[in-house]
Amino acid sequence: MSPGLSDAEARRLALRAQGFGRARPFAPGRADVLGLVRRLGVLQMDSVNVLARSHYLPLFSRLGPYPREALEALAWGPRKGLFEYWMHEASLAPLEVQPLLRWRMEDAEAGVGVWRGVASFLRSHGPFIDQVLDEIARRGPLSASELGLGAKGAGGWWGWSEGKRALECLFWTGRLTTAARRGTFERIYGLPDQVHPPRVLRAKTPDRGEAQRELLRIAARAQGVATEADLRDYFRLPAAEARLRVAELVEAGDLTPVQVEGWRAQAYLSPDAGAPRRVEAEALLSPFDNLIWFRDRAERLFGMRFRLEIYTPAHRRVYGYYVLPFLEDEALTARVDLKADRHERQLLVQAAHAEPAAGPGTPEALARALWRMAGWLGLEAVEVAPRGDLAGRLAGEVARLG
C-alpha cells in the first residue's frame, strides 16, 4: 500500500520544490539566479515581449527584483553558466545538463520521430552544411543575417532562408549552439568549442537510459510530487521511455509511489521533497512558469483551468492576451492581463479577474505584487482598466499603495 498525501500537502510540496515560501535574498545576483535555475532545472524561453520575455519572469516570481543582466550574463555572456536547447520547448538550463541531452541531439541527427525534417534537410544539403560550419569556424559565432549564405526563404519553415534553416538544424543536432543573443532576441550561433567551457566539452556522454533517468530526477526534485505525465513533460521525454525510466527509478529507490487525494493517476515523491506547514507567497506567474506550464498539473494542484489566449482572436478572449495567474500563499487567487507600456512608463492591467480562492485581502496583495513588478521593469505607474470582476477593487488598492 503506497502512502497517501492530501491535496494540500501535495500543493505545499510542489510550491516548496519550485522555490516558493523561502526568504528572498536582499540583493539577488548571479549566484542566486544560477542557484534558482539549478533548483528549477530548466527555464522555458519565449519571444513574446508584451510584458517581459518569459524566461525572466520565473526568477522574479521567486527572487523578487533581481538584475536581469545577471540572467543574460549567465546565458549569453563570456562566463556562461547556462546553455540553450530544446528541453521543455526552447529553454535555458545549467551547463551540467548539456551532456544529458546529447541523446536528443543524436536523435535529431538521425531523424528520429519529430526530427525527420531536420535530418532530411541536413542530408540533402551536405556541401552547403559544410560551408556553413566552415564559415563559423573561420569567422567565429554568427547570426543568420551575418552568415549571408543560401537562398532567401519563402513558404514553409517560417519563411527562413536556407542559411537560417541550416543554422537551426545544426543547433538542434548540437553541432552548433547559442553563443549570444543580440538586439531583438536575434540568436548568434557558434561551434560548441567556441562557446562551451572545456568542462562541458570534456564531460562524458551518459548512455540514453542514464541520461533520461537523471533528467527525471531533476524533474522530480523540481516538482516535489508528480505523476508520470508530470515528470515526462518537464523535459518532454518520449512516453514509452519515460514510463520505463520511472519504473527503474522506483526500483532503485529514487522515487517513492504515493497516492494524492483527488489525483486519478499514480504519483511519485522525490526523496528531496519537503513540505512546510505553510507557504507564504505573493507572485505573478508567467504563462510559461514551471509551476503551471503543464496545464493538467496546474488544474490538479490549484483547481484553475488556465489556457493561453495569445492566438485567440481578441473578441473571443475570456481573460486577455498575456494573462498571469497570481499566487497568493498556497492558492491561485486571481489572473491579470498585463502589458508594459514602455513609452508612457506604465504597467497596464488590461483586465483583472478573481478566482474562487480569492479572499478579502487579495486586491491588496495583488496590488503590492503589481507595484513590485512595475518597479522591477522600470515603470513608474500602474493603471487598471475597468475590465474583469476584480478590476474595481484592485484599482482602489493600486491607487492607495501608489
Side-chain angles (χ1 to χ4, degrees):
M1 180 72 69
S2 60
L5 294 171
S6 70
D7 60 343
E9 289 171 325
R11 194 158 46 248
R12 290 186 198 114
L13 282 165
L15 289 167
R16 179 78 170 182
Q18 281 283 299
F20 292 104
R22 299 169 184 268
R24 290 176 172 175
F26 175 71
R30 177 186 172 97
D32 301 292
V33 170
L34 182 56
L36 181 53
V37 178
R38 282 180 171 146
R39 167 173 286 279
L40 297 175
V42 62
L43 281 179
Q44 183 177 337
M45 302 175 70
D46 192 80
S47 61
V48 175
N49 199 28
V50 65
L51 178 67
R53 290 195 170 94
S54 182
H55 42 284
Y56 295 101
L57 294 171
L59 302 174
F60 171 72
S61 297
R62 293 154 176 82
L63 295 175
Y66 76 99
R68 281 171 286 173
E69 296 80 7
L71 177 61
E72 293 162 0
L74 282 164
W76 306 299
R79 290 177 53 239
K80 289 181 173 59
L82 308 175
F83 77 106
E84 283 187 38
Y85 191 59
W86 189 265
M87 290 172 263
H88 187 95
E89 306 290 336
S91 305
L92 291 166
L95 278 168
E96 55 265 28
V97 173
Q98 196 272 350
L100 305 178
L101 274 302
R102 291 175 185 168
W103 61 271
R104 180 167 286 166
M105 298 170 187
E106 292 169 2
D107 280 0
E109 189 81 46
V112 175
V114 298
W115 305 107
R116 183 165 48 189
V118 169
S120 176
F121 181 85
L122 292 173
R123 283 195 297 267
S124 63
H125 291 73
F128 181 63
I129 296 301
D130 291 340
Q131 187 182 4
V132 169
L133 291 170
D134 289 344
E135 193 76 4
I136 292 177
R138 181 176 65 86
R139 296 170 57 192
L142 299 169
S143 67
S145 59
E146 290 169 331
L147 181 67
L149 296 177
K152 297 282 186 186
W157 284 71
W158 301 280
W160 286 349
S161 68
E162 280 192 334
K164 174 66 172 176
R165 290 171 67 181
L167 291 168
E168 283 294 298
C169 288
L170 289 166
F171 170 80
W172 286 324
T173 64
R175 292 160 70 184
L176 291 178
T177 189
T178 303
R181 290 277 185 168
R182 180 188 298 147
T184 58
F185 214 48
E186 182 182 27
R187 179 183 277 154
I188 312 300
Y189 303 82
L191 299 170
D193 61 7
Q194 295 171 331
V195 177
H196 293 324
R199 63 184 173 86
V200 174
L201 300 172
R202 292 195 300 262
K204 181 183 177 182
T205 301
D207 69 41
R208 187 184 189 96
E210 179 49 40
Q212 291 176 347
R213 284 190 292 274
E214 185 57 27
L215 290 172
L216 287 166
R217 290 187 192 102
I218 294 170
R221 285 194 297 270
Q223 295 180 93
V225 61
T227 66
E228 180 190 295
D230 297 337
L231 294 168
R232 178 177 76 236
D233 177 75
Y234 213 76
F235 286 97
R236 297 288 169 85
L237 300 182
E241 289 177 281
R243 191 175 305 117
L244 174 62
R245 306 303 174 217
V246 167
E248 292 168 348
L249 290 171
V250 170
E251 185 175 358
D254 291 337
L255 290 176
T256 301
V258 294
Q259 298 296 326
V260 177
E261 177 188 4
W263 292 20
R264 294 182 179 179
Q266 174 71 63
Y268 301 90
L269 188 66
S270 165
D272 302 302
R277 296 183 65 180
R278 175 175 170 77
V279 173
E280 295 181 355
E282 286 180 2
L284 289 157
L285 303 178
S286 158
F288 307 105
D289 190 287
N290 306 47
L291 183 64
I292 59 169
W293 64 22
F294 189 30
R295 308 310 187 201
D296 178 72
R297 177 176 171 83
E299 192 162 352
R300 271 184 279 120
L301 283 171
F302 299 105
M304 174 189 277
R305 188 178 187 277
F306 181 67
R307 298 293 182 271
L308 195 64
E309 296 184 288
I310 287 176
Y311 305 108
T312 302
H315 69 279
R316 293 177 55 192
R317 291 179 195 139
V318 178
Y319 296 105
Y321 179 80
Y322 199 76
V323 175
L324 283 73
F326 177 56
L327 176 66
E328 184 181 359
D329 295 332
E330 300 171 15
L332 297 180
T333 60
R335 54 181 110 194
V336 284
D337 180 17
L338 298 184
K339 178 179 180 179
D341 184 341
R342 297 173 180 90
H343 183 263
E344 297 295 332
R345 302 181 69 81
Q346 295 179 339
L347 178 61
L348 304 180
V349 184
Q350 303 185 114
H353 292 86
E355 288 295 301
T362 295
E364 180 181 355
L366 179 53
R368 284 195 298 265
L370 290 166
W371 276 115
R372 281 195 296 269
M373 176 168 281
W376 175 62
L377 294 174
L379 306 174
E380 298 174 351
V382 178
E383 295 292 329
V384 182
R387 179 168 180 251
D389 59 1
L390 191 59
R393 287 174 289 162
L394 179 61
E397 291 297 332
V398 163
R400 186 177 68 84
L401 296 176

